[in-house]
Amino acid sequence: MERGIYGVTLTTFDSNGQLNMEALYQELIYCRDTSVKGLLMCGSTGEFVYMNAEQQKQVLAAGMEVAGKNKILIGGASAPTEESVLNLLKYMDKIGYQYALICPPYYFPQTPENVLDFYRTISKKAPPRIRILMYNIPFCAPEIPLQYMEELLAIPNIIGLKDSSGNILYLSKVMGVVKDKRPDFHVFTGQDACFLPALTLGVSGCISALSWMFDKEENEILESYHQRNLERASEIQMNIIQLVRHLDGISFPENYRILSKVIGVDSGEIQRHFYNLNDVFCYPWIEQTTILVQKLRMS
């Protein structure tokens, strides 16, 4: 797997909760033509929890069809049960995926030992070609346990970790173990607001929805950091932080769906309805979003 930035695609639904495949193909063409290293299909921003297995397979297949020859593709294979995860992995292997992102089983509580056993089981039963990235997203699933990080790093076909916790202390401890035990292991941040701080700890890059929406800006952070131009990297990072703070004014992932439309990409209809997502609220929010987008792109 290569270092760099990877975009998390949004899944295009219609107003009835069905896939809008025409809009999905257009989004994927846009993503394919950006400078990201690769794309993650069926991630959190892709709202995989709203899809059944067949819909997920449709989205995974569309990603391979449109971008498989141009980008490194990562398939989201998170699910509440091992059987469901393995079903997705087998399908991904069948259509040509080599990388899968998997969080620990969610909904029911899990002990750290449960999480370790889960990854050991999945890694043994996964198709030989599939390489696994663990997914640390502790506000939605059990945390990847630090006390068993060495054991997890010892599993050969687990080759990376996406950390969306936003917890720099946690990330620093992970990187300490990685540097000591397995330097070729890839760790990516999933929080754009932490990208530059995460680079100072040695991460391989960023996997996020903003990465394809603002690929030039995020790549410039990466390049400026490696060129030791921290002033420039910090300037762009602070503008991203301003945008992320503003996005927090609307629930995730609806905020990213609205943002994608601001930048000119139709990502379909939201799947939840909130009292504040009306024209009176959204119009000024979108106006401010547009200002922050322009500021970021002009920085």
Side-chain angles (χ1 to χ4, degrees), residues 9-286:
T9 62
L10 285 78
T11 302
T12 52
F13 297 101
D14 63 22
S15 57
N16 295 315
Q18 301 303 308
L19 295 177
N20 182 340
M21 296 304 296
E22 182 179 352
L24 179 61
Y25 279 112
Q26 291 304 309
E27 179 193 329
L28 289 171
I29 290 170
Y30 182 98
C31 292
R32 181 193 65 194
D33 294 340
T34 66
S35 60
V36 297
K37 286 286 185 183
L39 298 171
L40 167 62
M41 309 298 300
C42 298
S44 296
T45 317
E47 299 171 279
F48 71 90
V49 293
Y50 293 154
M51 291 186 278
N52 59 40
E54 291 309 309
Q55 288 174 318
Q56 285 182 269
K57 290 176 181 179
Q58 281 184 266
V59 172
L60 291 165
M64 183 58 68
E65 179 183 347
V66 175
K69 294 180 180 180
N70 307 86
K71 301 295 182 186
I72 298 170
L73 293 186
I74 307 168
S78 297
T81 67
E82 294 171 1
E83 181 182 3
S84 298
V85 171
L86 291 168
N87 179 42
L88 286 170
L89 292 181
K90 290 174 184 176
Y91 179 76
M92 285 162 41
D93 179 59
K94 178 181 177 181
I95 63 174
Y97 279 78
Q98 295 183 42
Y99 300 102
L101 182 75
I102 307 170
C103 75
Y106 49 85
Y107 189 77
F108 291 113
Q110 307 284 334
T111 67
E113 291 75 20
N114 294 153
V115 174
L116 174 61
D117 288 343
F118 166 75
Y119 281 114
R120 281 176 167 167
T121 300
I122 293 299
S123 66
K124 287 177 183 177
K125 296 183 178 181
R129 184 169 61 171
I130 296 290
R131 296 293 175 262
I132 296 168
L133 287 90
M134 299 182 292
Y135 186 14
N136 189 51
I137 183 166
F139 37 88
C140 296
E143 185 174 79
I144 307 293
L146 281 168
Q147 64 262 48
Y148 292 118
M149 194 59 63
E150 288 189 27
E151 288 84 349
L152 290 165
L153 292 178
I155 302 173
N157 57 344
I158 294 182
I159 56 90
L161 166 73
K162 177 187 177 185
D163 175 39
S164 291
S165 70
N167 184 337
I168 290 295
L169 180 59
Y170 173 90
L171 182 59
S172 68
K173 292 179 178 180
V174 169
M175 295 307 300
V177 180
V178 168
K179 184 177 181 180
D180 184 44
K181 298 296 182 181
R182 191 173 164 187
D184 64 332
F185 191 82
H186 287 284
V187 178
F188 295 87
T189 181
Q191 293 287 352
D192 302 276
C194 297
F195 188 22
L196 181 56
L199 286 174
T200 67
L201 296 173
V203 300
S204 296
C206 182
I207 301 176
S208 72
L210 288 191
S211 289
W212 66 262
M213 297 183 193
F214 301 100
D215 57 309
K216 294 177 181 177
E217 292 76 16
E218 296 220 347
N219 266 322
E220 190 172 357
I221 289 178
L222 189 60
E223 291 166 6
S224 296
Y225 173 75
H226 289 303
Q227 293 167 3
R228 300 185 179 180
N229 187 352
L230 294 182
E231 183 177 355
R232 178 58 180 155
S234 296
E235 178 186 6
I236 302 169
Q237 179 67 84
M238 291 308 298
N239 286 332
I240 288 177
I241 290 172
Q242 283 188 314
L243 177 60
V244 170
R245 287 180 61 198
H246 176 68
L247 291 175
D248 288 342
I250 288 182
S251 296
F252 174 86
E254 286 77 16
N255 48 4
Y256 284 86
R257 192 175 298 283
I258 298 171
L259 175 62
S260 71
K261 293 184 179 182
V262 169
I263 68 167
V265 179
D266 180 8
S267 57
E269 303 299 322
I270 63 172
Q271 294 306 291
R272 298 187 297 175
H273 297 279
F274 301 100
Y275 74 93
N276 64 338
L277 291 188
N278 53 52
D279 291 341
V280 174
F281 176 83
C282 281
Y283 181 74
W285 189 88
I286 290 171

